[in-house]
Amino acid sequence: MRRITGREKEETLIELKSASDSQIADESCGKDVSSSERTPLPGHSETDKLQPNRDTVFFRDGVRRIDFVLSYVDDKDERKQERRREFEANLEKAGLELETEDKSDAKDQKTYFLKIHAPWDVLTTYADVLKVKVPFRESDIPHGREAPLYWIPHPFGLPDNIMRPERDYFTYPFEKNKEDFFLIRDKETFFPPSTRNRIVFYILARCPYYKEGQKEREKTGIKRLLSNGTYTAAFPLHDCRYWKKAKNGKCESERFSLYSHWARFLCFYKQQPLNLIRKYYGEKIGIYFAWLGFYTEMLFFAAVMGVICFTYGVLSYDDNISSKEICDATIGGSILMCPLCDRKCPFWKLNSTCLSSWQSHLFDNEGTVFFAIFMGIWVTLFLEFWKRRQARLEYEWDLVDFEEEQQQLQIRPEFEINCTNRRLNRITQEMEPYLPVHSRCARYCLSGATVLFWVSLIVACIIGVIAYRLAVYAAFASVIKDPMRKIQLVGRFITPQLATSVTASCINFVIIMILNFFYEKVAVWITDLEIPKTHLEYENRLTMKMFLFQFVNYYSSCFYVAFFKGKFVGNPGDYSYMFGRWSKLRNEECDPGGCLIELTTQLLIVMVGKQLWGNIQEALLPLMRNWWSSRKGRHNPDNHSSRWEQDYVLVNFSQLGLFYEYLEMVIQFGFITLFVASFPLAPLLALFNNILEIRVDAWKFTTQFRRPMASKARNIGAWQEILNAVAILSVVTNSFIMAFTSDMIPRLVYLYAYSKKNNMEGYINNSLSVYNISQIPLQNMPEDDWYDNTTTTCRYRDYRYPPGHEREYTHTMQFWHILAAKMAFIIIMEHVVFVVKFFVAWLIPDVPSEVKARIRRERFLIQEYLHNYEVEKLKLQLSASFITEPRSDLTLTPDKHEMLSECLT
């Protein structure tokens, strides 16, 4: 086959209909088109219409569609030239049609573009191989309604042609020998562009580039050619520019519709056009945006409840008797507290923590218990309702019978190349490659050891941060302690504990970001080392490893503050030390306002910092890249730039691009569920972030990324199991936070068992134990002994007998009562929440009854249509055979045709 190159036959360029098309474009501008189309962009003038239009998705003949584009730079490397010749020759043998654009036509004058078209015969062959579902009859089943408020279309709705860009059809896996069964009106549009580029990529991934007669199995596939530099890029084309409709009537302009109705931030309150997203990008990306949108919708209810609980804390601010006692000069001002660290920390007055106690009350109040229980139920409702939404999408997107992702079950080319051993597949009865057991075990052991090493590195970094907290606390205490210091104004608002917590949280966040850079590469490396057999297996393994790394990386500091800090302190005279007494690093005590406020600080800094950094990476970096490209003259999307050049300068959407989007949201999900009892406003912050995240992701996909290769997915994959695990763990963590990190249980025990006035008066004095200053060892005493010499005792947070008691400095009976109450609270809360969770999960079916009925109805109709088709086909065959038989035979058996007709009917 002959391929056209350079500017040969310039007259065959698609002259996109100057006068008539201009008139059509002008008329369409008045029909729900953004102002960006009506107003020419800088550099665009009316004279552009007179130029030959190269902004097209067709070959030079204007008929054959460009299904894929490969680019390369001719650097005079003979090996690369040889690979390209063999690869392109094999592509032509596979039936693909090629057309090359010479480098002289490119803006940079050095890049060649190879355009690929799959003709009808190739499409039908591989559609049969991949079991692509295609329409055979228009559906007569009416649309179901996803929400009870469907009758409120405004102001959140979008036009019907955007929400449902195509009619509903009954579909069936394509079979080449049954072409006449399917609804083929136009062979050029029967397979949509997303299906066409998926088929072409399947061929590209398996096409060899070794010479005929040679068998070098590693020389296979476009991925290896991209990695060794033979080709610089491989991508399907966007259908048009995002800010302007395509002039060619045969082009869909779906990218423009997505940008106008979805990718702009001003559309944040609108529905997402999920059907159009699925049609343009494929089911896998469509499922992601459906899940993200549903997650954001459900966050609204959690955010409202969190705001209500926080508002309760604000409104009950003045009724907080404990904080009033701390701030009272006659109560808190008369209580001398023991030093919080050795040598550097002084004795201090309790009323110096007045502000901290008020801040703690905002998050640590009676409403927090209710909110923790609510979130345990909310997460169950979220997961169960998502299953229902997912089931509806599976039906509407024709994925019900799509077992696990059929094209994902295809063996990965990397597995075929690296595994030279062959064995018989008992199911398919075909020889297939496999990885020997000894090789698999060795790879798994190395992978497990690598994971363990990097997880240990995270733990080591957390221990380092803890050591920093212990060491720097003394420095802050020595600076903020002295009333004569000039920074007294700051010392009134910032306690040594708060200063230490904030700086340690910031350092921890920086370490997290640095480690993330390495974890991404390590996780990919060890997953490649294991050589998973299928793409689905590859993604699942990478997902589990990456989430394990991120889980330990992001949450370990919060787990430390919530469950370890202040729990193993000891008491004056018998303090506990982190690495033993020789280290002089005394275990941290909680902030006088409680450890919950420190957990809130830690969670706020890490969660908000991650979201801000993620948004900066996703939004600002692509903008800066495009600005730099435009300055160098590489990014000039005007009429004179070809469609393939405009897409070539965009960011490549990698195979793992969607993986990182899921990971970001699942980590956020962990923050708002695992530790939400400490910060009820976390769902509100997540809601604001996700509203922005949806539009930023939409903007990236529409304007900054090359068009991804469309792929199918019926669910969110391994992320579903991770979300379920996090949901169960969140019940446990929030129960322990309320019991051991919050002061709620000690206050309730005092109120109902020890208070004489049935209120919280006297709680502060009751919760502080007494220690004799003269018994404090010298190494624990502060260097500056400034305190009232008339005071012989100091106080500390614990429930121990006072000096002089027969059980001096041992735990009182109240301590054991509180511990029993904490354990009882954990058991009761966990059982209540788990019972409600399982009851709700049982009560809400995963698949709506309406969807089940529609699926059964559709299967019945499909079987009926197939039966009728086979019957009609058999009738035609019999009629043809009767015609070809001699007339004498027909007359001899007059009942033959009659009998067959009765059988067929």
Side-chain angles (χ1 to χ4, degrees):
M1 185 184 67
R2 180 170 171 269
R3 286 180 286 158
I4 307 171
T5 61
R7 294 186 180 274
E8 179 181 324
K9 296 188 178 180
E10 190 72 31
E11 64 275 5
T12 62
L13 283 170
I14 307 172
E15 305 272 355
L16 281 183
K17 303 159 181 139
S18 55
S20 59
D21 281 358
S22 298
Q23 182 179 358
I24 293 172
D26 291 340
E27 291 174 356
S28 65
C29 287
K31 297 179 181 178
D32 193 24
V33 179
S34 65
S35 58
S36 61
E37 184 181 358
R38 295 191 293 267
T39 305
L41 295 177
H44 296 255
S45 64
E46 294 299 323
T47 57
D48 290 341
K49 299 177 181 178
L50 303 177
Q51 303 294 332
N53 182 37
R54 303 175 68 230
D55 185 20
T56 178
V57 293
F58 294 94
F59 275 21
R60 292 194 184 97
D61 56 18
V63 177
R64 292 175 294 172
R65 189 182 189 98
I66 301 173
D67 297 314
F68 228 85
V69 173
L70 306 181
S71 66
Y72 61 91
V73 177
D74 191 0
D75 52 6
K76 309 304 181 183
D77 188 326
E78 294 184 1
R79 294 180 61 188
K80 292 181 181 178
Q81 292 176 359
E82 181 65 24
R83 291 180 195 140
R84 283 194 291 267
R85 279 195 297 269
E86 296 299 331
F87 186 67
E88 292 169 19
N90 289 330
L91 289 179
E92 291 179 343
K93 290 178 182 177
L96 298 179
E97 298 177 2
L98 312 178
E99 184 176 84
T100 304
E101 289 289 328
D102 193 81
K103 65 180 180 180
S104 60
D105 295 334
K107 288 288 183 181
D108 59 8
Q109 298 289 306
K110 61 180 181 181
T111 303
Y112 292 87
F113 292 95
L114 177 67
K115 299 175 289 185
I116 302 174
H117 169 76
W120 174 255
D121 187 60
V122 173
L123 292 173
T124 54
T125 299
Y126 284 93
D128 196 344
V129 171
L130 297 175
K131 303 301 180 186
V132 175
K133 285 190 173 183
V134 293
F136 66 89
R137 183 184 178 92
E138 190 167 341
S139 174
D140 54 3
I141 300 179
H143 288 300
R145 298 294 184 179
E146 289 190 10
L149 299 180
Y150 64 88
W151 49 269
I152 306 180
H154 299 290
F156 307 109
L158 290 174
D160 288 340
N161 65 314
I162 300 298
M163 293 301 295
R164 294 193 175 275
E166 55 188 0
R167 296 179 179 178
D168 283 345
Y169 294 94
F170 292 132
T171 60
Y172 188 75
F174 186 84
E175 295 181 21
K176 194 171 182 178
N177 59 354
K178 294 182 180 178
E179 280 191 27
D180 54 338
F181 173 69
F182 300 100
L183 201 60
I184 304 176
R185 294 193 178 101
D186 183 358
K187 291 184 177 181
E188 297 299 323
T189 59
F190 180 68
F191 292 106
S194 57
T195 302
R196 297 175 69 101
N197 72 56
R198 185 157 63 95
I199 290 174
V200 173
F201 183 78
Y202 180 87
I203 299 173
L204 292 174
R206 287 159 176 77
C207 184
Y209 55 91
Y210 48 76
K211 293 182 179 179
E212 188 175 356
Q214 297 178 349
K215 295 296 180 183
E216 301 173 80
R217 299 192 57 82
E218 71 279 1
K219 293 186 176 182
T220 302
I222 187 62
K223 290 184 178 180
R224 291 188 65 86
L225 291 172
L226 290 171
S227 63
N228 61 31
T230 303
Y231 290 98
T232 56
F235 53 93
L237 292 178
H238 283 292
D239 59 8
C240 65
R241 289 167 287 181
Y242 63 86
W243 67 87
K244 191 174 184 179
K245 281 187 176 180
K247 294 180 180 179
N248 191 341
K250 295 196 296 184
C251 199
E252 295 83 2
S253 295
E254 291 171 352
R255 186 190 188 194
F256 168 76
S257 298
L258 287 170
Y259 177 74
S260 301
H261 299 282
W262 177 54
R264 294 189 296 181
F265 183 75
L266 293 178
C267 300
F268 72 92
Y269 61 93
K270 296 281 190 179
Q271 293 176 286
Q272 294 190 88
L274 294 178
N275 288 310
L276 184 58
I277 297 170
R278 170 246 182 172
K279 184 171 183 272
Y280 191 74
Y281 291 114
E283 286 80 0
K284 193 171 186 179
I285 292 177
I287 283 285
Y288 164 72
F289 280 104
W291 176 81
L292 181 57
F294 181 77
Y295 172 43
T296 305
E297 292 171 13
M298 292 295 292
L299 272 178
F300 173 78
F301 302 101
V304 169
M305 190 57 63
V307 170
I308 292 174
C309 291
F310 180 76
T311 304
Y312 172 80
V314 174
L315 295 178
S316 61
Y317 201 72
D318 294 333
D319 300 329
N320 184 14
I321 297 176
S322 300
S323 295
K324 289 181 179 179
E325 289 186 350
I326 291 175
C327 298
D328 193 335
T330 60
I331 302 177
S334 63
I335 296 178
L336 185 71
M337 302 295 293
C338 299
L340 295 176
C341 67
D342 297 340
R343 306 299 293 167
K344 296 295 183 181
C345 298
F347 294 93
W348 51 285
K349 293 296 181 68
L350 183 61
N351 64 348
S352 64
T353 63
C354 175
L355 182 62
S356 177
S357 66
W358 285 113
Q359 292 170 343
S360 180
H361 175 74
L362 295 176
F363 304 103
D364 190 4
N365 53 65
E366 294 80 3
T368 308
V369 180
F370 169 77
F371 186 64
I373 296 174
F374 169 81
M375 287 302 295
I377 300 172
W378 173 88
V379 73
T380 303
L381 292 173
F382 163 65
L383 294 175
E384 293 303 318
F385 281 128
W386 164 246
K387 290 177 184 177
R388 291 171 63 85
R389 176 73 65 89
Q390 188 171 258
R392 190 178 295 276
L393 289 175
E394 285 181 15
Y395 168 73
E396 292 184 351
W397 292 357
D398 220 2
L399 299 169
V400 174
D401 298 322
F402 195 73
E403 294 298 331
E404 285 185 341
E405 167 72 271
Q406 290 181 5
Q407 91 274 9
Q408 293 279 25
L409 293 177
Q410 298 288 340
I411 296 177
R412 295 172 65 233
E414 294 84 354
F415 185 85
E416 293 177 334
I417 292 169
N418 288 283
C419 301
T420 56
N421 297 305
R422 299 272 164 174
R423 67 179 177 187
L424 182 68
N425 187 316
R426 296 180 180 179
I427 299 174
T428 63
Q429 292 297 310
E430 295 179 356
M431 299 299 292
E432 66 176 13
Y434 79 100
L435 190 65
V437 175
H438 62 86
S439 178
R440 186 185 302 117
C441 292
R443 291 173 184 274
Y444 286 171
C445 289
L446 180 58
S447 174
T450 306
V451 170
L452 185 62
F453 169 77
W454 282 95
V455 169
S456 302
L457 181 62
I458 302 174
V459 176
C461 291
I462 296 301
I463 293 175
V465 173
I466 296 172
Y468 162 83
R469 297 170 70 106
L470 299 177
V472 82
Y473 175 79
F476 280 119
S478 63
V479 173
I480 304 179
K481 69 182 181 181
D482 195 343
M484 302 301 294
R485 298 294 181 100
K486 295 181 179 180
I487 61 169
Q488 175 62 19
L489 179 63
V490 177
R492 289 174 55 193
F493 298 99
I494 301 180
T495 62
Q497 292 91 343
L498 182 59
T500 303
S501 181
V502 170
T503 56
S505 298
C506 293
I507 292 173
N508 185 67
F509 176 71
V510 173
I511 293 174
I512 287 172
M513 292 296 103
I514 294 173
L515 290 177
N516 272 348
F517 174 78
F518 294 102
Y519 290 150
E520 293 178 4
K521 299 183 181 300
V522 171
V524 172
W525 178 75
I526 57 180
T527 306
D528 288 338
L529 181 69
E530 295 174 2
I531 321 180
K533 183 176 181 180
T534 66
H535 290 287
L536 181 64
E537 202 175 323
Y538 182 90
E539 288 191 8
N540 288 343
R541 291 189 190 180
L542 180 62
T543 297
M544 299 306 297
K545 293 181 183 64
M546 198 65 178
F547 180 75
L548 176 63
F549 285 147
Q550 299 282 23
F551 183 92
V552 179
N553 196 20
Y554 278 106
Y555 303 144
S556 53
S557 58
C558 292
F559 273 102
Y560 164 73
V561 175
F563 306 123
F564 296 97
K565 183 178 179 181
K567 308 300 185 295
F568 310 99
V569 177
N571 61 289
D574 188 23
Y575 286 118
S576 300
Y577 291 81
M578 185 175 181
F579 301 111
R581 288 187 176 275
W582 62 269
S583 67
K584 298 182 180 180
L585 294 176
R586 201 170 96 189
N587 286 348
E588 275 188 290
E589 295 188 39
C590 287
D591 187 280
C595 268
L596 195 72
I597 189 65
E598 292 194 55
L599 178 59
T600 303
T601 303
Q602 179 78 22
L603 181 65
L604 182 64
I605 290 177
V606 176
M607 177 180 171
V608 174
K610 182 185 184 302
Q611 292 182 350
L612 289 176
W613 178 249
N615 289 329
I616 289 172
Q617 281 185 311
E618 292 186 17
L620 293 184
L621 293 182
L623 285 175
M624 293 176 63
R625 178 187 178 277
N626 284 344
W627 174 79
W628 182 252
S629 297
S630 62
R631 287 200 60 181
K632 289 193 168 187
R634 293 197 301 256
H635 188 63
N636 184 26
D638 56 16
N639 263 355
H640 306 293
S641 295
S642 61
R643 163 75 7 233
W644 42 92
E645 286 182 280
Q646 294 178 40
D647 287 4
Y648 177 66
V649 299
L650 298 178
V651 180
N652 180 48
F653 185 78
S654 67
Q655 182 184 358
L656 299 176
L658 211 55
F659 167 82
Y660 295 113
E661 301 293 345
Y662 273 117
L663 181 63
E664 180 184 3
M665 289 295 101
V666 172
I667 292 296
Q668 182 203 82
F669 180 80
F671 278 126
I672 68 166
T673 53
L674 295 175
F675 310 102
V676 74
S678 66
F679 189 41
L681 295 181
L684 181 64
L685 297 179
L687 175 64
F688 290 149
N689 175 80
N690 286 11
I691 290 173
L692 179 63
E693 180 75 20
I694 290 175
R695 303 305 159 178
V696 169
D697 285 349
W699 172 78
K700 285 192 311 180
F701 274 89
T702 309
T703 68
Q704 305 300 307
F705 284 154
R706 295 172 187 161
R707 186 173 183 173
M709 194 274 294
S711 57
K712 288 183 175 291
R714 62 179 299 179
N715 50 45
I716 61 176
W719 298 111
Q720 184 75 40
E721 298 303 321
I722 290 176
L723 291 174
N724 291 330
V726 171
I728 294 174
L729 181 61
S730 67
V731 178
V732 179
T733 56
N734 284 301
S735 300
F736 275 83
I737 287 173
M738 294 308 305
F740 289 98
T741 309
S742 167
D743 279 342
M744 182 58 59
I745 302 302
R747 289 201 294 263
L748 292 176
V749 170
Y750 174 80
L751 178 63
Y752 293 108
Y754 292 91
S755 175
K756 298 178 180 179
K757 299 181 180 180
N758 292 325
N759 59 27
M760 294 303 295
E761 289 185 15
Y763 169 72
I764 295 301
N765 186 64
N766 176 267
S767 64
L768 298 175
S769 299
V770 181
Y771 198 86
N772 194 333
I773 294 177
S774 62
Q775 293 179 289
I776 298 178
L778 182 63
Q779 65 269 21
N780 299 132
M781 288 290 288
E783 295 173 345
D784 302 327
D785 294 333
W786 64 275
Y787 66 93
D788 187 356
N789 292 326
T790 61
T791 305
T792 59
T793 60
C794 64
R795 311 292 291 273
Y796 60 99
R797 288 173 59 92
D798 209 342
Y799 294 90
R800 295 177 183 270
Y801 289 109
H805 193 275
E806 61 180 5
R807 300 180 62 185
E808 181 180 70
Y809 304 140
T810 60
H811 285 121
T812 65
M813 187 57 65
Q814 186 176 353
F815 170 84
W816 300 109
H817 288 167
I818 292 173
L819 181 61
K822 289 179 177 179
M823 300 306 298
F825 174 82
I826 291 174
I827 294 172
I828 293 172
M829 179 177 172
E830 286 185 355
H831 280 71
V832 168
V833 175
F834 278 131
V835 167
V836 174
K837 278 171 63 70
F838 292 130
F839 175 74
V840 169
W842 170 80
L843 188 64
I844 302 175
D846 292 348
V847 181
S849 57
E850 174 206 354
V851 173
K852 288 181 180 178
R854 291 161 68 89
I855 290 173
R856 287 195 292 267
R857 169 67 176 164
E858 183 169 336
R859 285 177 175 170
F860 169 76
L861 292 176
I862 289 174
Q863 290 178 353
E864 184 177 4
Y865 292 142
L866 278 172
H867 172 74
N868 291 338
Y869 166 79
E870 296 293 346
V871 168
E872 292 297 327
K873 189 174 181 180
L874 186 55
K875 284 182 178 180
L876 292 174
Q877 291 176 351
L878 290 174
S879 298
S881 64
F882 287 145
I883 292 173
T884 56
E885 287 179 4
R887 185 175 297 272
S888 59
D889 293 342
L890 290 174
T891 57
L892 291 175
T893 56
D895 298 331
K896 181 178 180 182
H897 186 276
E898 190 174 316
M899 181 179 64
L900 286 173
S901 298
E902 291 178 359
C903 293
L904 291 175
T905 55

